[in-house]
């Protein structure tokens, strides 16, 4: 303050207007500059942890009874921080690290003169406010003996602190001010990366207008950022700017500068942690706030599912302003949202399934593109082999036609059951009215469980003496076989085959036909030999040794076998 002013105090309200992050304030004891935090350890999902102090300066390192300018100060290990300021804030009784233990006489050429006692009084008031010894506490002071000009830097750190990019940071500082009847100091703090100054405030700090309390003639309080800043830069420095241009008043001191990391934590979990192949599990992402419960807006991440897991249902979330992108059948989940003020946590959940047995693990490396959120620990889910349901079915032949229908001949079935079993049947001969005849028919269906616990469904149909369509299709014997085997991972290996003896179609001999061999009999019918149709979901196969479709709409099947293993709860095959 210029020497022409009398000293006095206009008391302000007994509370601080900047209470939104007040819970962030830490004890001023033993604060030192610290490197940035390592990746967050996994915690208790939904239980907020305390913020981490990533920078703290109490201007006590190496200080005693001799005052020095802040530009000559070196902070504690490991950073050994140093500071600079605009020349206006290093002259005219500005920029001194002062204490009540300093000599009664102001430092030579400091410009403080008789104001030195008041300068020391502000340092003592800050110590008392912080619970320290007011007689020995040190603080950076200013008692403006000239107009400093608006928007000039009152303090700036020289060395960067490596935090890692895209973190939520909050700011806290203790400030004292005297001569509140005159112009007030208006302080604004900035977080600096290599190229950008990010404001940690919306309204400048004005202790005379918003004191936490008054100690003697000094207004004092702790002031925090209006809300956390999502800081993109990885290397952090600090700048204090004073927007008060006048030296009439503008007499303030500051201490206990803190930058706190208030980045939310991500946790992952699976529920249940064990399921059968064919069932689903819920992968839950829990975003947990830090204990001050300030708003955290704009966090995001992408989670990659372990190989073999896929999204099996629509995602859900209770986070604010949230978007969850998880395409059905895909392997990625992207989440962005907000933790509102006062919220301890929120969640995003996606249903997943596995095609194979195994243990699937999600860890920090699987969560990428993180913005404003700490990585998770690990979580895992195990998918076990399901008790597959048997489906084995065989028959010797059937006919479907506009005027005549022949139901499946000699059907054998072990279908839609989880119990092993065998069924078989025999018929000496059969007539297909107006279409031909069949000789002896043998069918069999099996559902078995091996010594290794793996399941097999099998079916076969053997038909002799085949004569269809007036001798256009004949065979001495024809057999269809189908088999479905549990491969031990929850998947099914299926195969089918046809064995023939003396098969002729339109007078042409057919031997060892490949699957789905199709022969056209002009103006009569289409004949498919060794017709094989995979069943839905790879559960099995359906085999027809001979399948005839006439132009008149008659459908004839000879020797049919079907085998499948299905997951409980899914429809059994009917083809």
């Amino acid at each position: 303050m210029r020497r022409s002013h009398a000293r006095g105090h206009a008391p302000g309200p007994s509370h601080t207007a900047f209470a939104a992050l007040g819970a962030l304030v830490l004890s001023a004891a033993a604060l030192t500059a610290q490197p940035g935090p390592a990746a967050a350890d996994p915690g208790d999902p939904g239980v907020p942890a305390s913020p981490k102090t990533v920078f703290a300066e109490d201007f006590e390192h190496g200080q005693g009874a001799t005052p020095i300018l802040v530009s000559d100060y070196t902070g504690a290990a490991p950073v050994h921080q140093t500071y600079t300021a605009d020349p206006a804030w290093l002259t005219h009784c500005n920029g001194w690290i002062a204490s009540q233990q300093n000599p009664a006489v102001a430092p030579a050429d400091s410009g403080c003169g008789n104001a030195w006692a008041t300068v020391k009084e502000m340092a003592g008031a800050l110590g008392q406010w912080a619970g320290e010894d007011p007689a020995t506490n040190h603080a950076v002071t200013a008692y403006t003996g000239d107009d400093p000009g608006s928007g000039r830097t009152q303090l700036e750190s020289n060395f960067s602190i490596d935090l890692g990019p895209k973190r939520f940071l909050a700011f806290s500082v203790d400030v004292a001010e005297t001569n509140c009847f005159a112009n007030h100091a208006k302080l604004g703090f900035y977080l600096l990366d290599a190229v950008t100054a990010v404001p940690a405030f919306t309204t400048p700090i004005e202790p005379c207008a918003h004191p936490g309390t008054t100690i003697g003639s000094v207004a004092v309080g702790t002031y925090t950022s209006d809300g956390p800043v999502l800081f993109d830069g990885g290397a952090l420095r600090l700048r204090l700017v004073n927007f008060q241009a006048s030296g009439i008043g503008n007499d303030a001191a500051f201490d206990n500068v803190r930058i706190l990391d208030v980045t939310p934590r991500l946790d992952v979990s699976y529920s249940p942690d064990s399921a059968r192949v064919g069932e689903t599990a819920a992968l839950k992402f829990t975003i947990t706030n830090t204990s001050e419960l300030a708003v955290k807006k704009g966090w995001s991440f992408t989670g990659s599912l372990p190989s073999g897991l896929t999204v099996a249902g629509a995602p859900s979330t209770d986070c604010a302003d949230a978007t969850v992108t998880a395409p059905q059948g895909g392997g990625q989940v992207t989440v962005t949202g907000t933790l509102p003020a006062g919220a301890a946590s929120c969640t995003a959940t996606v249903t997943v399934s596995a095609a194979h047995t195994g243990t699937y693990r999600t860890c920090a490396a699987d969560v990428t593109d993180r913005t404003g959120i700490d990585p998770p620990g690990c979580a895992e889910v195990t998918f076990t082999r399901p008790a597959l349901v048997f489906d084995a079915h065989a028959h010797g032949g059937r006919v479907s036609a506009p005027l005549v229908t022949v139901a499946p001949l000699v059907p054998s079935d072990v279908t839609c059951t989880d119990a092993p079993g065998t069924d078989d049947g025999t018929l000496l001969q059969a007539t297909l009215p107006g279409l031909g005849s069949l000789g002896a028919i043998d069918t069999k269906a099996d559902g078995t469980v091996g010594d290794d616990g793996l399941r097999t469904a099998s079916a076969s149909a053997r038909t002799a003496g085949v004569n269809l369509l007036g001798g256009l299709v004949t065979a001495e014997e024809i057999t269809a076989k189908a088999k479905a085997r549990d491969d031990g991972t929850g998947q099914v290996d299926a195969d089918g085959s046809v064995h023939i003896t003396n098969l002729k179609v339109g007078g042409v001999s057919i031997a060892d036909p490949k699957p789905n061999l199709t022969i056209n009999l002009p103006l009569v019918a289409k004949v498919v030999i060794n017709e094989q149709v995979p069943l839905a979901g790879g559960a099995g196969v359906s085999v027809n040794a001979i399948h005839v479709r006439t132009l008149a709409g008659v459908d004839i099947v000879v020797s049919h076998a079907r085998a499948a293993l299905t997951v409980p709860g899914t429809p059994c095959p009917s083809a």
Side-chain angles (χ1 to χ4, degrees):
M1 182 174 183
R2 292 180 182 171
R3 291 185 296 275
S4 61
H5 289 169
R7 297 189 185 96
H9 176 65
S14 61
H15 66 278
T16 173
F18 302 132
L21 298 180
L24 291 174
V25 177
L26 305 179
S27 168
L31 289 173
T32 58
Q34 300 176 7
D41 293 329
D44 294 326
V47 179
S50 297
K52 294 187 173 99
T53 303
V54 296
F55 176 88
E57 181 62 81
D58 61 2
F59 303 103
E60 295 292 343
H61 184 247
Q63 298 308 293
T66 302
I68 64 170
L69 283 170
V70 69
S71 55
D72 296 328
Y73 174 79
T74 299
V79 178
H80 301 292
Q81 187 65 259
T82 62
Y83 301 91
T84 187
D86 188 280
W89 289 107
L90 294 173
T91 56
H92 304 293
C93 201
N94 297 327
W96 289 94
I97 297 179
S99 170
Q100 290 279 33
Q101 64 182 315
N102 293 157
V105 178
D109 301 322
S110 66
C112 292
N114 293 333
W116 184 243
T118 304
V119 169
K120 297 196 299 176
E121 182 186 4
M122 288 191 291
L126 284 167
Q128 181 176 336
W129 169 254
E132 301 299 318
D133 185 350
T136 59
N137 186 68
H138 291 79
V140 180
T141 62
Y143 201 89
T144 47
D146 199 0
D147 292 338
S150 176
R152 292 184 175 177
T153 297
Q154 196 166 344
L155 182 79
E156 184 169 322
S157 59
N158 290 320
F159 301 137
S160 297
I161 299 170
D162 187 11
L163 295 179
K166 301 178 180 178
R167 306 193 64 76
F168 282 101
L169 302 179
F171 171 81
S172 173
V173 65
D174 295 346
V175 185
E177 187 171 14
T178 191
N179 298 322
C180 289
F181 62 88
N183 293 308
H184 298 170
K186 295 183 178 181
L187 307 180
F189 280 85
Y190 293 83
L191 308 179
L192 307 179
D193 61 17
V195 295
T196 306
V198 181
F201 65 97
T202 54
T203 303
I205 296 170
E206 195 174 346
C208 279
H210 307 287
T213 191
T214 301
I215 299 175
S217 62
V218 178
V220 63
T222 296
Y223 303 91
T224 63
S225 47
D226 302 312
V229 173
L230 184 52
F231 186 69
D232 283 339
L236 171 69
R237 293 189 300 117
L238 178 73
R239 177 184 294 163
L240 165 63
V241 172
N242 194 327
F243 297 100
Q244 178 59 258
S246 177
I248 300 175
N250 199 9
D251 303 325
F254 57 89
D255 196 4
N256 298 324
V257 180
R258 311 169 186 88
I259 298 175
L260 306 176
D261 189 329
V262 292
T263 302
R265 182 185 74 248
L266 180 65
D267 289 287
V268 293
S269 62
Y270 286 98
S271 179
D273 58 10
S274 181
R276 293 183 184 273
V277 171
E279 298 175 343
T280 60
L283 171 57
K284 179 186 287 187
F285 299 94
T286 301
I287 301 91
T288 302
N289 210 344
T290 42
S291 58
E292 90 294 346
L293 303 185
V295 62
K296 309 292 164 59
K297 182 176 182 178
W299 50 260
S300 63
F301 62 88
T302 295
S304 296
L305 300 183
S307 178
L309 284 192
T310 57
V311 175
S316 62
T317 182
D318 59 4
C319 298
D321 304 324
T323 300
V324 183
T325 304
Q328 182 87 9
Q332 279 196 333
V333 182
T334 298
V335 186
T336 182
T338 295
L339 278 167
S345 64
C346 67
T347 62
T349 303
V350 62
T351 302
V352 298
S353 62
H356 296 273
T357 59
T359 297
Y360 300 88
R361 189 174 174 87
T362 297
C363 292
D366 302 310
V367 180
T368 57
D369 298 330
R370 288 184 292 106
T371 295
I373 197 162
D374 275 333
C378 294
E380 60 184 36
V381 60
T382 299
F383 281 88
T384 59
R385 187 173 67 247
L388 297 174
V389 173
F390 294 111
D391 177 74
H393 172 72
H395 65 75
R398 65 161 177 80
V399 176
S400 176
L403 300 178
V404 62
T405 297
V406 177
L409 301 170
V410 199
S412 294
D413 289 284
V414 179
T415 57
C416 257
T417 178
D418 59 5
T422 297
D423 189 25
D424 56 29
T426 300
L427 183 66
L428 293 179
Q429 61 181 12
T431 298
L432 307 180
L435 299 172
S437 62
L438 305 175
I441 299 172
D442 297 306
T443 62
K444 187 175 183 180
D446 284 304
T448 61
V449 179
D451 293 339
D452 55 4
L454 300 181
R455 298 188 161 215
T456 300
S458 59
S460 64
R462 182 187 68 86
T463 305
V466 178
N467 190 323
L468 303 174
L469 305 180
L472 286 176
V473 180
T474 62
E476 183 178 327
E477 184 176 285
I478 191 160
T479 302
K481 293 183 178 181
K483 182 177 287 187
R485 295 174 299 274
D486 180 359
D487 71 354
T489 73
Q491 292 295 291
V492 176
D493 291 330
D495 59 71
S497 63
V498 167
H499 303 276
I500 61 175
T501 303
N502 292 334
L503 172 63
K504 291 183 180 181
V505 178
V508 178
S509 296
I510 306 296
D512 193 22
K514 293 183 178 180
N516 302 307
L517 173 64
T518 302
I519 302 168
N520 286 311
L521 298 175
L523 304 178
V524 179
K526 180 172 73 174
V527 180
V528 181
I529 308 299
N530 191 11
E531 184 178 50
Q532 297 192 20
V533 180
L535 300 179
V541 64
S542 176
V543 181
N544 295 317
I546 299 174
H547 193 172
V548 179
R549 296 179 180 90
T550 74
L551 297 183
V554 177
D555 192 286
I556 307 169
V557 170
V558 179
S559 288
H560 168 81
R562 183 184 76 223
L565 292 169
T566 59
V567 174
T570 60
C572 293
S574 59

